[in-house]
Amino acid sequence: MNPQVSYKPSEEVDFVIVGSGAAGGVLAKELSTNGFKVVVLEQGRYIEPTEFGHDEIAVNLEHALTNNAHNSPQTFRATPQDKPIQQLSAIYGRCVGGGTVHFTANFWRFHEIDFIERSRRGAVPGTAFDDWPITYVDLEPYYTKVDWEVGVSGLAGASPFDPPRTKPYPLPPLPVKSSGVIFEQAAWKLGWHPFPAPMAILSRPYRGRAACIHCGRCLGFGCEVGAKSSSLAAMVPVAQATGRCEIRTESYAFRVKTNRHARATGVAYFDRDRRRHFQKARAVILSCNGAETPRLLLLSKSKQFPDGLANSSGIVGKHLMTNGFTGVTAVFEHPLNDYTSAAVSRVVHDFYEIDPKLGFYGGGGMDARFGRTPIGFAVGTPPEVPSWGKQYKKWLAESFAYSMSISCHTTSLPVETNGFTLDPDLKDAWGLPALCMTHQHHPDDVKMMKYLQDRALELLAASPAKQVYAQPIRNQTHAVHLLGTCRMGNDPKRSVINADHRTHDVPNLFLCDGSSFVTSGRGQPTMTIEALAFRAADRITAAAKRGEV
Ligand SMILES: Cc1cc2nc3c(=O)[nH]c(=O)nc-3n(C[C@H](O)[C@H](O)[C@H](O)COP(=O)(O)OP(=O)(O)OC[C@H]3O[C@@H](n4cnc5c(N)ncnc54)[C@H](O)[C@@H]3O)c2cc1C
């Protein structure tokens, strides 16, 4: 770990931030750079980049970088009427840097429509579909800040559907892969507009960090050269270098405490030896993600806040949006060797907004990729392929180096019953109520997934693919995009935080992470999470300077 300041828990710092992921890392860097004393409580470890390896078993089966069922078990049910089953459903990074350490690094901006869709399209029955209290214009300077501060590779103006931007990308796109070339040629035949994928991975050395070495281990793995623009590589070192920010690792927050004036006084947490501490702070920011932020608010209930902290609206934990995800795998006659380099190199946004005449709400984007590891590929055969014996071995030999996928990323609607609650029976390793996830896609979300998958099949029909396997479309029982569970809004009855990320109920408590979303976008939410965090840091700094925190 880099050298850093160390505060005593009894010392009142300006801000305690819980979580060092996409949003927490940005906030820590911005607020400490702005002169504030900051403590970040992170439940996971600090992992030195040199520790990152390519061990699939450690990463995918033993959860070396992510939350695990041993410490933090969860339950799942499709609807509130179902009996929950024990299963790890909400998957997220559990280390310094959070989900940005192991994510694939697709980095799409939201488009203008994502913020104002409710006004444009009208209500969708059975949902809390709403406009954001901010627009793309409000967030654009912060998207640009993300591009330049964390390091994003891409080609400005390459997609006719892109929203306006004030600056080009700081780095050129990563090289096109075989899958990207096939995708691009087929898309052009169909009159679509493929473009180089914007990625939070350095195509060239940038700000003292090395460029991508094309090892092919982005999805699920940490980057050993620091080319992936994670909070760990890009934000945390800058925060620590200010001499004002302490990243306190293996510190598991379990309660935000408040005083009789309904103000937050700090955060209670367990250290790595399970001793309890209380970090005093003038203001508290929760950036634990769309599952753990609502959980911490629900765990912080008190006589004064009997339904959980900042939950006078009753919607903390509700309206979970996960983004729809489906795909198609194709096998070709010649080897593509697509398992090297970043997972994705080309994208299509022609279906970002679909024709309302189709009769359902939705939109999406698709990309060309190979996002599989050898073991992951071997255990993930399409349903049509035998999973043992001679035929299975033949499939492996003739497909691993010869295949690619098209992944389809789509909208989710905010359905009130989808979300996180505290499980009444199951406890985590510290004896605290475990998370229970309830999730069933809205029918429009399923129609949108099917629609985009059909477009992916159309694209592959225009390519020289030998065999094509479509993924079955099922209800999502696992989620990696955890969005909308403490939504932003102007009306305290229908939202948890205001446009400045301040909770409506507790004036010095702020929430900023995936939980702040009002709509889901079309997948790849992390660019927007980070833009929101840069903006929140500006708003919070201004409020603190006015003496309002
Ligand atoms: C395999 C995979 C691939 C992905 N690929 C992409 C992609 O290509 N593009 C994209 O946009 N998104 C991708 N994502 C999603 C992305 O990782 C998340 O959207 C993003 O990291 C969420 O940011 P966040 O700030 O909300 O929370 P996180 O990044 O999850 O950070 C939350 C942090 O808070 C810590 N924490 C939680 N609770 C506590 C507590 N009680 N006490 C102390 N610390 C706590 C956690 O350990 C974690 O470090 C992917 C996710 C997965 C799992």
Side-chain angles (χ1 to χ4, degrees), residues 18-24 41-44 91-95 97-100 102-106 219 251-253 287-290 292 296 480-481 513-514 524-527 529:
V18 186
S20 65
L41 299 176
E42 168 54 56
Q43 62 181 347
I91 316 292
Y92 62 82
R94 191 180 187 281
C95 54
T100 61
H102 71 268
F103 82 150
T104 321
N106 291 292
L219 203 174
S251 298
Y252 174 36
S287 297
C288 309
N289 72 43
E292 294 293 353
L296 188 47
V480 298
H481 295 176
D513 53 25
Q524 325 309 358
T526 310
M527 171 47 137
I529 294 174

Side-chain angles (χ1 to χ4, degrees), residues 17-28 40-42 93 95-101 230-232 235-236 287-289 512-513 526 529-530 533:
I17 301 173
V18 186
S20 65
V26 168
L27 282 154
V40 179
L41 299 176
E42 168 54 56
C95 54
V96 173
T100 61
V101 169
S230 63
S231 288
L232 175 69
M235 295 287 105
V236 166
S287 297
C288 309
N289 72 43
C512 183
D513 53 25
T526 310
I529 294 174
E530 295 191 6

Side-chain angles (χ1 to χ4, degrees), residues 382-403:
E384 299 89 328
V385 174
S387 51
W388 60 280
K390 259 193 182 164
Q391 285 303 319
Y392 171 59
K393 285 187 191 161
K394 189 168 167 348
W395 150 262
L396 287 184
E398 292 177 1
S399 62
F400 183 72
Y402 295 74
S403 63

Side-chain angles (χ1 to χ4, degrees), residues 219-354:
L219 203 174
F221 295 80
C223 180
E224 64 263 45
V225 299
K228 196 192 281 186
S229 297
S230 63
S231 288
L232 175 69
M235 295 287 105
V236 166
V238 186
Q240 290 173 314
T242 62
R244 285 183 287 272
C245 178
E246 177 187 349
I247 310 285
R248 201 171 293 160
T249 58
E250 296 174 81
S251 298
Y252 174 36
F254 63 90
R255 189 174 190 83
V256 178
K257 290 198 180 176
T258 46
N259 63 18
R260 62 197 168 84
H261 306 293
R263 286 184 63 84
T265 53
V267 177
Y269 68 96
F270 291 105
D271 69 12
R272 71 176 61 103
D273 301 316
R274 299 190 180 215
R275 285 179 306 223
R276 289 166 186 250
H277 301 274
F278 177 67
Q279 177 60 54
K280 282 175 80 176
R282 289 173 58 209
V284 173
I285 305 177
L286 303 187
S287 297
C288 309
N289 72 43
E292 294 293 353
T293 287
R295 175 166 175 252
L296 188 47
L297 293 173
L298 297 174
L299 288 174
S300 301
K301 76 174 182 189
S302 61
K303 270 193 192 145
Q304 207 177 3
F305 296 101
D307 298 322
L309 196 56
N311 194 19
S312 62
S313 61
I315 62 165
V316 164
K318 296 184 176 172
H319 305 123
L320 169 69
M321 299 173 289
T322 58
N323 288 129
F325 178 82
T326 184
V328 181
T329 297
V331 185
F332 292 81
E333 187 188 346
H334 300 289
L336 311 184
N337 296 323
D338 220 56
Y339 47 81
T340 55
S341 197
V344 177
S345 68
R346 286 293 181 273
V347 178
V348 150
H349 273 171
D350 290 64
F351 308 99
Y352 204 93
E353 288 182 60
I354 55 161

